[in-house]
């Protein structure tokens, strides 16, 4: 039986009024700020009003190292949230808002898929309540104030060659990666090289995700470093008097968005930090509301467990003080077969026919990646459950192979058909997660705040990635010394690397050993509260492909949007 397109399924959904969705999570409706009939913002006063209610079990959904097509983390997150109602429990989902760049590019939207989606799909993937536009405006307000500061005499003593703040836009536009500003006459500003990143890569977006309340948001915005003086002293947004205006633009964006799944499970949608150079997790304020809204709060961490989950544990949980009760590691037959080294998947092209043939031995051959990601959960004291995300092209013997791999590591495993069957297809997974979450928690951070930056970087590289050590380029060493001299050494670390390998080399599959991690550059997101070493070439402004989704998205005369996927 063929399944309709995601958009067709979403547009056929029967939605509940937002008041009813809020009541499902015991959220008082007086805290809703309605945006039409099917989306609402939640006033932050709800955090205080709900704080004494029972605490839900906190579950993070992560994955093995994915193929370029992704392995269905968001779909699993939504499906699991729906599944709890099928086993007599109440689930709440918390996920990021997707960037419109990938939505109009080759990746598509991020509302889930099949019968495990967030709806309305069109609003979710496009403007929603304008949070991304607020981030874009606040970021570029700082850019404008910065350039005006240089023009008006540069009282802060910024070195124009050491300005680190760029501009952002929420589209894929490679032509803006490198620009020169201030061209024209004397009245048009100070000429200097700069560029654009995509809005998800903005430090303001990470600030939004990691702030506990409005006061903290304001403080974090003020701590954003925009550049350095010739002597190496940091200059902040507070120093050039931009932080207050930025906070005013971000005030309403700090309120989480309430939506629902196809089965009317409450979904908190908030923030969208990049998963390669930032945390890749939804907001703390959304979790502070959702944790008191049901029996289970299910949230997703971007990319594989070596990336999004490691940052969830060591940055988000460190900041929020909330600790997880269980983790779901999504695995697919196709990804483990790719990790065997026998197949290659290319985005936009058909799967290799040999990949679809029944071959449990190839699943076992790619098992090292799953084993390592299970180990990465246990490094942090979290009970892992392997979700075998079933595809129609899979074979039962291949699912059994994944079960055997999980069981050999002492982890629970469950086959889940949530894409085709919605919540009931993830009921076995929900039962396994409930069992894991009932186990005694032994959560631990990977490193202390006061460890030196190099020690933090090397701890992640050796313990999580399996590297033998770290090699620093001269520029990276210089930056680390600069940050520690400026008092940033107590910040956690967010390693920017490829998501296609546990290592820093996208060509290394499985769980590579015998390699060293090269750090070519180190940057600081002081307002967001982390240092990010860069390994390899990280694109912070994507480009459009030859046949992007933007060529196919359209709107009918009656207002119906078509072409989203």
């Amino acid at each position: 039986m063929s399944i309709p397109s995601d958009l067709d399924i979403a547009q056929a959904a029967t939605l509940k009024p937002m008041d009813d969705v809020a009541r499902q999570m015991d959220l008082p409706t007086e805290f809703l700020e309605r945006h039409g009939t099917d989306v609402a913002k939640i006033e932050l006063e709800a955090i205080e009003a709900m704080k004494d209610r029972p605490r839900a079990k906190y579950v993070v959904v992560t994955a093995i190292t994915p193929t370029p097509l992704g392995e269905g983390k968001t779909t699993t997150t939504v499906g699991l949230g729906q599944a709890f109602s099928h086993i007599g429990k109440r689930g709440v989902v918390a996920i990021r808002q997707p960037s419109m760049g990938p939505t109009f590019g080759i990746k598509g939207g991020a509302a889930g898929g099949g019968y495990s989606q967030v709806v309305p799909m069109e609003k979710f993937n496009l403007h929603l309540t304008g949070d991304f536009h607020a981030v874009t405006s606040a970021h570029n307000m700082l850019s404008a104030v910065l350039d005006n500061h240089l023009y008006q005499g540069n009282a802060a003593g910024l070195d124009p060659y050491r300005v680190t703040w760029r501009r952002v836009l929420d589209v894929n536009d490679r032509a803006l990666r490198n620009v020169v500003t201030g061209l024209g006459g004397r009245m048009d500003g100070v000429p200097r090289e700069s560029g654009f990143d995509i809005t998800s890569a903005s430090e303001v977006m990470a600030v939004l995700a990691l702030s506990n309340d409005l006061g903290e948001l304001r403080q974090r915005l003020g701590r954003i470093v925009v550049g350095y003086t010739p002597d190496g002293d940091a200059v902040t947004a507070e120093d050039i008097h931009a932080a207050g205006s930025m906070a005013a633009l971000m005030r309403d964006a700090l309120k989480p968005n309430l939506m629902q799944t196809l089965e009317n499970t409450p979904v908190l949608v908030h923030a969208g930090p990049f998963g390669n150079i930032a945390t890749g997790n939804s907001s703390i304020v959304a979790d502070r509301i959702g944790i008191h809204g049901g029996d289970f709060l299910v949230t997703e961490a971007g990319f594989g467990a070596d990336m999004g989950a490691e940052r969830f544990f060591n940055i988000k949980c460190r900041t929020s003080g909330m600790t997880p009760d269980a983790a779901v590691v999504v695995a697919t037959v196709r990804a483990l077969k790719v990790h065997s080294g026998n197949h290659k998947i290319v985005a936009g092209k058909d799967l290799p026919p040999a990949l679809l043939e029944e071959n449990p031995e190839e699943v076992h051959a790619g098992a090292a990646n799953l084993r390592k990601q299970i180990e990465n959960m246990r490094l942090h004291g979290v009970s892992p459950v392997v979700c075998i995300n079933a595809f129609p092209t899979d074979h039962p013997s291949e699912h059994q192979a994944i079960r055997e791999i999980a069981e050999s590591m002492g982890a629970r495993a469950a086959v889940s058909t949530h894409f085709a069957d919605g919540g009931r297809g993830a009921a076995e997974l929900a039962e396994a997660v409930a069992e894991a979450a009932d186990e005694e928690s032994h959560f631990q951070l990977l490193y202390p705040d006061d460890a030196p930056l190099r020690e933090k970087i090397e701890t992640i590289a050796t313990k999580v990635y399996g590297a033998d050590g770290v090699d620093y380029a001269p520029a990276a060493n210089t930056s680390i010394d600069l940050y520690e001299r400026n008092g940033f050494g107590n910040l956690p670390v967010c390693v920017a690397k490829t998501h296609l390998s546990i290592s820093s080399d996208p060509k290394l599959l499985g769980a590579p050993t015998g390699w060293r991690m090269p750090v070519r550059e180190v940057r600081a997101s002081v307002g967001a509260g982390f240092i990010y070493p860069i390994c390899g070439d990280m694109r912070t402004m994507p480009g459009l492909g030859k046949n992007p989704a933007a060529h196919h998205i359209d709107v009918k005369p009656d207002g119906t949007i078509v072409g989203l996927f």
Side-chain angles (χ1 to χ4, degrees):
M1 181 182 69
S2 62
I3 297 176
S5 72
D6 289 351
L7 184 57
D8 287 342
I9 292 171
Q11 291 178 339
T14 301
L15 304 186
K16 283 187 175 181
M18 295 314 297
D19 284 13
D20 292 349
V21 176
R23 291 188 189 101
Q24 288 180 232
M25 54 182 294
D26 297 327
L27 171 65
T29 56
E30 62 262 32
F31 296 121
L32 295 186
E33 180 184 289
R34 293 161 186 82
H35 288 247
T37 59
D38 41 31
V39 178
K41 276 195 165 292
I42 303 173
E43 299 283 352
L44 296 185
E45 289 77 10
I47 296 173
E48 180 69 20
M50 299 173 71
K51 69 176 184 179
D52 295 327
R53 295 183 183 174
R55 181 188 181 280
K57 297 290 187 180
Y58 195 25
V59 180
V60 61
V61 177
T62 183
I64 63 173
T65 302
T67 68
L69 303 181
E71 308 316 310
K73 277 196 317 301
T74 306
T75 308
T76 299
T77 302
V78 175
L80 176 59
Q82 294 180 152
F84 283 115
S85 66
H86 294 264
I87 65 168
K89 305 290 185 181
R90 292 188 304 151
V92 177
V93 174
I95 57 177
R96 288 178 292 169
Q97 180 182 345
S99 166
M100 287 192 292
T103 296
F104 286 87
I106 193 169
K107 186 177 180 182
Y115 289 94
S116 293
Q117 292 189 59
V118 179
V119 285
M121 178 190 182
E122 305 94 310
K123 289 187 178 180
F124 179 87
N125 282 310
L126 300 177
H127 303 285
L128 198 53
T129 56
D131 295 348
F132 267 59
H133 303 307
V135 171
T136 302
S137 296
H139 183 114
N140 291 335
M141 170 67 75
L142 178 53
S143 303
V145 171
L146 168 61
D147 278 308
N148 185 59
H149 185 89
L150 293 173
Y151 177 77
Q152 299 291 352
N154 193 11
L158 262 170
D159 182 346
Y161 295 100
R162 301 183 76 178
V163 171
T164 56
W165 195 251
R166 291 156 58 91
R167 286 170 166 79
V168 296
L169 194 66
D170 196 33
V171 296
N172 288 359
D173 192 346
R174 62 172 54 84
L176 293 178
R177 288 173 182 164
N178 299 284
V179 302
V180 177
T181 61
L183 296 179
R186 187 180 64 83
M187 301 294 291
D188 296 322
V190 178
R192 64 182 184 88
E193 292 186 10
S194 186
F196 279 76
D197 302 323
I198 200 164
T199 299
S200 291
S202 169
E203 185 177 348
V204 178
M205 183 66 82
V207 166
L208 174 65
L210 291 169
S211 296
N212 280 279
D213 52 43
L214 186 58
E216 184 179 330
L217 175 86
R218 171 63 180 80
Q219 292 171 1
R220 286 177 177 270
L221 291 173
R223 292 199 297 264
I224 289 174
V225 173
V226 298
Y228 297 86
T229 67
D231 292 332
D233 297 326
V235 178
T236 67
E238 200 71 69
D239 292 333
I240 61 172
H241 311 294
S245 293
M246 295 172 71
L249 288 168
M250 291 296 295
R251 182 194 64 177
D252 291 337
L254 188 59
K255 303 170 187 176
N257 304 291
L258 179 63
M259 299 183 73
Q260 61 191 291
T261 73
L262 290 167
E263 298 180 13
N264 312 119
T265 304
V267 181
L268 299 164
V269 181
H270 201 214
F274 248 22
N276 58 358
I277 64 161
T279 54
N281 285 267
S282 58
S283 77
I284 287 174
V285 291
D287 286 0
R288 291 181 68 195
I289 293 170
I291 202 71
H292 298 293
D295 299 312
F296 291 86
L297 173 61
V298 185
T299 191
E300 175 197 358
F303 296 134
D306 54 299
M307 298 190 72
E310 185 273 316
R311 296 161 187 179
F312 173 83
F313 298 140
N314 292 297
I315 300 178
K316 185 176 180 181
C317 293
R318 187 188 301 264
T319 303
S320 70
M322 298 169 60
T323 58
D325 297 289
V328 175
V329 180
V330 179
T332 61
V333 167
R334 73 183 185 191
L336 288 173
K337 285 184 173 181
V338 168
H339 281 293
S340 73
N342 296 333
H343 307 282
K344 184 178 181 180
I345 291 179
V346 178
K349 293 186 178 181
D350 292 337
L351 294 174
L355 183 70
L356 306 180
E357 296 175 1
E358 183 173 7
N359 195 335
E361 289 76 19
E362 278 192 342
V363 175
H364 279 289
N369 189 272
L370 175 56
R371 291 194 184 100
K372 179 56 179 159
Q373 302 293 28
I374 291 173
E375 287 178 1
N376 286 338
M377 297 303 96
R378 293 214 172 102
L379 268 177
H380 298 90
V382 181
S383 296
V385 177
V386 175
C387 168
I388 305 168
N389 185 17
F391 285 67
T393 52
D394 297 346
H395 301 274
S397 64
E398 296 169 333
H399 292 164
Q400 180 58 30
I402 299 178
R403 282 190 189 273
E404 291 168 1
I405 297 163
E407 289 168 1
S408 72
M409 297 291 294
R412 295 175 175 85
V415 175
S416 191
T417 60
H418 46 273
F419 182 90
D421 300 317
R424 67 182 177 86
E428 180 191 356
L429 175 62
E431 294 278 12
V433 169
E435 289 178 4
D438 279 339
E439 294 179 349
E440 185 178 354
S441 175
H442 300 284
F443 177 73
Q444 60 185 13
L445 298 170
L446 198 59
Y447 50 80
D449 290 343
D450 58 3
L453 288 176
R454 288 178 182 84
E455 181 180 320
K456 293 172 183 174
I457 295 168
E458 288 158 19
T459 297
I460 295 172
T462 56
K463 291 189 175 181
V464 178
Y465 306 157
D468 288 346
V470 180
D471 296 323
Y472 299 94
N477 277 318
T478 300
S479 294
I480 290 173
D481 293 340
L482 174 68
Y483 301 150
E484 291 186 331
R485 183 170 71 79
N486 275 277
F488 309 150
N490 64 326
L491 297 178
V493 166
C494 179
V495 178
K497 72 173 186 70
T498 179
H499 64 284
L500 297 174
S501 173
I502 291 180
S503 76
S504 57
D505 183 347
K507 298 187 291 295
L508 297 180
L509 302 174
T513 58
W515 62 281
R516 295 181 63 83
M517 187 173 82
V519 175
R520 66 172 179 84
E521 183 182 356
V522 182
R523 298 180 186 175
S525 289
V526 179
F530 55 81
I531 302 296
Y532 61 104
I534 299 176
C535 308
D537 185 18
M538 292 290 105
R539 290 292 188 191
T540 52
M541 171 56 86
L544 292 173
K546 188 173 182 179
N547 186 28
H551 289 180
H552 310 286
I553 295 171
D554 208 335
V555 60
K556 293 181 177 179
D558 65 358
T560 302
I561 292 175
V562 296
L564 280 171
F565 66 93

